[in-house]
Amino acid sequence: MSYLGIIIAFFLGVSILALMGRFSLLELFGFSFPIGMGAITILMFLFDVIGIGITRTSLLWGIGLSLLALNFKLIITPRNTLKTVRTKNFKEFFFVGKFNLVWLVFVAVILFLLAGVTIKNLYWPTAASDSLSSFDLYGKVIAAEGKMMNSLIYEKRVGWGAAYPPLYALSLAYSYIFGFEMSKIIPALFFISFVFSFYALMLRNVSTLGAIIATLFFMASPELYAQSAINTTSVTQAMYGSIGIIAILTWNNTKQNKYLLLSVIMLALNGWIRSEGIVYIGTAFLFYTYISTRKKEFFKPFLFLIATALPFILWQIYLKAHIDLMDQFVQVEMNILPNFDGDYMMRILRGAEKNFYHKIYYGITIYVFYGAIILNLIWFYLKKESLVTLIVVLLPLIAYLVLLNQLVLRADSIEGIMRSSAKRFFFGMVTLMWYYSAQVYPVKRLFAAIEVYLATPEKI
């Protein structure tokens, strides 16, 4: 019964993606579980709001009816669906990259690293204090009592994470509801999805060789890789946020609307797991507004903003509706008036600098990123290559630092935030830096040329 929950979450994601367009097998493998699990947590939240218990029975009914609704056309007209499948380009559907020895070596290393972190997730129990006191504990009691406003909330026996948007805690609760003894199947599947979704989108933007190299270096960033096995929100939120940004950039490059819809869903779920995800939503909104206004489409950006911000807004309303209970778990408040304390901002910037230049946090990421910026600027001067992608990659970082400057902290100092929460929030920035570094024109052309060379047979 335990793995049934995982399977139906995956197929719910596949069904949602099928409505958006034709995705490759690799894309389905990467996007389906995060989207399906995100949709299920929204369903669990709605059950709680309307007074339906969050139980295995209610979930099976709710997900089953959702699958029937999403696949209604397939059910009533199977012949037309099969006819559509026959016209599908199967070569494109099964494409995972152009094989060569270098690509195979990188694939082997990636699979080895994925196997290692998956084994650690499945065979070592949750040990992180944030999860033991908040997310995992909260998920267990939601599963046991069938509601979010449970005994832990009333008796304040859970940590600050209870006030976080509920995607992660509800995902862990879902695993317990379907019979898992430990909830770490959830972070394992999220991280596997992260790697595959990043590589799948990179294939739409750069050569196979560039995509696989960027994938290895992004996932092997030491702190990101380490945090992927400790059962907290950071890596999963980085996946939703960064993949949402890369998806909208991919939409702009390919002009395929399915990637715009993918971006909307991933960004919406990014705000459904951590409130700081609004920096990714804001970045994508500005980029989409820039593209739309050039086409004189002035109303679409507001629809985009509403769609991506709706889950975040719903959670803020929920917190306000239960302020008598939930206020005790809220760690920060937003200062509406601008904070012009220069010393405070310098403390934030010093913390960010320590994180990015730390010897073991992100490896060579920042130095490769600097090199890519230099190449981008040279090509901008010589060939008028666009700097828009660079701006889109930098905006979430700038917005996050500004956001920190506006927060009134209840439970920590700004130095503590920079050492812990900020360090982990930068995982999404690291992912975007590797995307950007691989798609800068000179790098992109170099890897494409190497790929052609590797594929050219030797003359005897």
Side-chain angles (χ1 to χ4, degrees):
M1 177 61 75
S2 58
Y3 286 99
L4 173 64
I6 301 301
I7 292 169
I8 61 177
F10 181 84
F11 278 105
L12 181 61
V14 170
S15 300
I16 294 170
L17 287 166
L19 296 180
M20 296 157 53
R22 294 183 177 182
F23 289 91
S24 71
L25 182 63
L26 195 63
E27 290 170 330
L28 291 175
F29 196 78
F31 305 142
S32 294
F33 180 75
I35 290 176
M37 195 70 251
I40 288 171
T41 61
I42 292 174
L43 182 66
M44 294 167 77
F45 172 76
L46 294 175
F47 278 176
D48 185 77
V49 169
I50 63 178
I52 297 175
I54 303 172
T55 65
R56 186 184 301 176
T57 301
S58 66
L59 285 172
L60 286 174
W61 273 103
I63 298 169
L65 291 173
S66 299
L67 285 169
L68 286 174
L70 291 168
N71 295 283
F72 184 71
K73 185 177 179 181
L74 169 62
I75 295 168
I76 62 171
T77 57
R79 289 185 179 180
N80 291 342
T81 304
L82 290 173
K83 189 183 296 183
T84 303
V85 170
R86 290 193 192 102
T87 63
K88 192 176 187 69
N89 186 335
F90 281 97
K91 184 177 180 181
E92 182 181 349
F93 178 73
F94 287 107
F95 180 74
V96 296
K98 295 180 179 178
F99 295 5
N100 58 60
L101 182 59
V102 175
W103 181 83
L104 287 171
V105 169
F106 275 87
V107 168
V109 175
I110 288 170
L111 293 177
F112 175 77
L113 292 175
L114 279 177
V117 79
T118 302
I119 290 170
K120 185 176 180 180
N121 266 314
L122 297 184
Y123 293 98
W124 272 262
T126 298
S129 59
D130 283 354
S131 193
L132 288 172
S133 64
S134 290
F135 308 112
D136 192 57
L137 175 63
Y138 192 33
K140 281 181 181 178
V141 178
I142 291 172
E145 299 185 15
K147 55 186 177 181
M148 295 173 64
M149 289 291 119
N150 51 49
S151 59
L152 290 182
I153 301 297
Y154 282 99
E155 299 171 18
K156 202 182 185 303
R157 292 189 290 117
V158 66
W160 302 99
Y164 281 42
L167 187 152
Y168 201 77
L170 289 175
S171 298
L172 301 185
Y174 181 80
S175 70
Y176 287 121
I177 288 169
F178 277 88
F180 284 96
E181 293 183 7
M182 292 195 307
S183 61
K184 292 185 74 181
I185 184 71
I186 298 298
L189 290 172
F190 274 136
F191 189 62
I192 292 169
S193 300
F194 196 179
V195 173
F196 276 85
S197 58
F198 180 84
Y199 177 64
L201 285 181
M202 289 302 297
L203 280 179
R204 300 296 183 183
N205 292 274
V206 300
S207 66
T208 299
L209 191 60
I212 202 67
I213 290 173
T215 301
L216 174 60
F217 280 102
F218 120 76
M219 72 169 289
S221 298
E223 191 66 19
L224 187 153
Y225 185 70
Q227 293 276 341
S228 65
I230 68 169
N231 209 8
T232 60
T233 60
S234 302
V235 174
T236 303
Q237 195 272 333
M239 173 195 63
Y240 282 118
S242 62
I243 295 300
I245 295 295
I246 295 171
I248 198 170
L249 290 168
T250 303
W251 161 74
N252 187 50
N253 293 336
T254 64
K255 311 306 179 187
Q256 297 183 49
N257 286 330
K258 63 183 179 181
Y259 294 113
L260 177 62
L261 297 173
L262 175 66
S263 176
V264 169
I265 291 176
M266 295 300 278
L267 289 169
L269 294 174
N270 139 82
W272 188 235
I273 187 169
R274 287 182 72 100
S275 297
E276 302 98 311
I278 58 174
V279 303
Y280 292 109
I281 293 171
T283 296
F285 168 69
L286 290 175
F287 176 68
Y288 187 64
T289 301
Y290 167 73
I291 299 298
S292 298
T293 51
R294 296 176 71 187
K295 300 177 181 178
K296 301 188 184 303
E297 297 172 342
F298 301 107
F299 186 64
K300 285 185 177 180
F302 295 101
L303 294 177
F304 180 90
L305 182 61
I306 291 169
T308 52
L310 184 59
F312 170 79
I313 294 169
L314 286 176
W315 182 246
Q316 300 310 309
I317 294 172
Y318 186 84
L319 289 179
K320 294 295 183 184
H322 297 88
I323 193 168
D324 54 327
L325 291 172
M326 298 303 291
D327 186 63
Q328 60 189 334
F329 300 105
V330 176
Q331 289 178 281
V332 299
E333 295 177 358
M334 177 68 73
N335 189 356
I336 299 176
L337 297 176
N339 180 10
F340 294 111
D341 187 341
D343 179 66
Y344 192 75
M345 177 55 83
M346 286 306 301
R347 289 157 64 189
I348 293 172
L349 294 176
R350 282 194 295 268
E353 182 183 18
K354 286 180 182 178
N355 283 329
F356 279 115
Y357 291 104
H358 197 285
K359 292 181 180 178
I360 63 170
Y361 283 175
Y362 314 122
I364 62 172
T365 299
I366 193 68
Y367 304 103
V368 172
F369 183 59
Y370 285 159
I373 291 174
I374 292 170
L375 290 174
N376 198 178
L377 291 174
I378 291 172
W379 243 248
F380 172 75
Y381 177 75
L382 295 176
K383 304 290 185 180
K384 304 301 180 186
E385 185 188 3
S386 174
L387 297 176
V388 170
T389 302
L390 174 60
I391 294 169
V392 171
V393 169
L394 287 175
L395 268 177
L397 173 59
I398 296 169
Y400 181 63
L401 297 177
V402 172
L403 178 66
L404 287 177
N405 187 59
Q406 292 301 118
L407 296 181
V408 180
L409 305 178
R410 290 187 181 182
D412 206 345
S413 66
I414 191 61
E415 286 78 13
I417 293 293
M418 297 309 297
R419 283 193 305 268
S420 55
S421 297
K423 174 186 72 175
R424 299 190 298 268
F425 189 81
F426 289 150
F427 293 157
M429 317 300 177
V430 168
T431 308
L432 292 177
M433 286 176 183
W434 280 108
Y435 163 80
Y436 169 79
S437 299
Q439 61 80 54
V440 169
Y441 183 77
V443 178
K444 183 177 178 179
R445 292 299 303 157
L446 174 64
F447 283 126
I450 294 173
E451 189 172 290
V452 170
Y453 173 77
L454 291 172
T456 304
E458 291 188 21
K459 294 182 179 180
I460 301 176

